[in-house]
């Protein structure tokens, strides 16, 4: 039930295909794909052409995290480029319900992303259109930042909401966490309510050489920590 989603933001972009294939061979479940526009966040990364380029490299779910404003145009482009999951920040869409519908109409799973100071209330009236919610453990824009501890309380709040929805409707909404996830805090984060774990620097900075199995031990260490939780 726990999924590990390495963020390619911390991968070696000069050899991105290999970085994707190797991390999946090492046991990753999803590939987390961070899209930044130097407008919604103060950094700039990769777009739909890169998603299209890595799509044939893996069968794994490509989890596109849009840190862009506006979002609707790129939703369509990423769906066409092979994304499976698309999430966006409620502050970046003028019409949250419409953007969620657009993602689902294009055959992808849809989610909202909550910055550390963004209230979870944004999910209240769109629960039926959410496949996941993503809580940021850091302010978005960069890899390698420190996990903000108050996120643990917020995760618990998110878990209560999705559990109530699950009991009413039978639908499962995943609770994903992004930012500052490491081997030494993943168990506490799972205990607080997350079931899907994005980790960029913790995974991609663990592989020193070009051994195809360079990510095995860090992912195994995360799974061992998660196995202690339930
Ligand atoms: C931050 C990105 C994250 C980032 C996480 O804005 O959304 O996905 O890659 O990096 P780490 O795991 O290094 O905090
Ligand atoms: Zn992300």
């Amino acid at each position: 039930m726990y999924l590990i989603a390495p963020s390619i933001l911390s991968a070696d972009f000069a050899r991105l295909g290999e970085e994707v294939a190797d991390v999946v061979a090492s046991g990753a479940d999803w590939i987390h794909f961070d899209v930044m526009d130097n407008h919604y966040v103060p950094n700039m990364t990769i777009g739909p052409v890169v998603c299209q380029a890595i799509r044939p490299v893996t069968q794994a779910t490509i989890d596109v995290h849009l840190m862009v404003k506006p979002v609707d145009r790129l939703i369509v482009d990423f769906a066409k480029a092979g994304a499976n999951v698309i999430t966006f920040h409620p502050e970046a869409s003028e019409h949250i319900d419409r953007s969620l519908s657009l993602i689902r109409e294009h055959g992808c799973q849809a989610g909202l992303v909550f910055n550390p100071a963004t209230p979870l209330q944004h999910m209240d009236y769109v629960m039926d259109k959410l496949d996941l919610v993503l809580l940021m453990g850091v302010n978005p824009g960069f890899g390698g930042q420190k996990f903000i501890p108050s996120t643990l309380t917020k995760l618990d709040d998110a878990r209560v909401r999705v559990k109530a929805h699950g009991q009413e409707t039978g639908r499962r909404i995943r609770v994903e966490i992004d930012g500052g996830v490491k081997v030494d805090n993943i168990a506490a984060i799972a205990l607080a309510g997350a079931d899907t774990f994005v980790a960029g620097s913790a995974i991609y900075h663990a592989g020193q050489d070009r051994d195809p199995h360079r990510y095995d031990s860090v992912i195994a260490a995360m799974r061992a920590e998660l196995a202690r939780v339930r």
Side-chain angles (χ1 to χ4, degrees), residues 7 9 32 34 36 65 67 136 140-144 178-180 198-201:
S7 163
L9 183 63
H32 185 78
D34 286 309
M36 305 185 189
H65 174 192
M67 287 161 276
M136 295 303 298
F142 303 94
D178 183 8
V198 176
S201 51

Side-chain angles (χ1 to χ4, degrees), residues 145-160:
Q145 303 179 79
K146 207 173 161 334
F147 186 80
I148 298 172
S150 60
T151 312
L152 294 177
T153 320
K154 199 173 174 185
L155 278 167
D156 189 53
D157 188 354
R159 167 170 50 191
V160 168

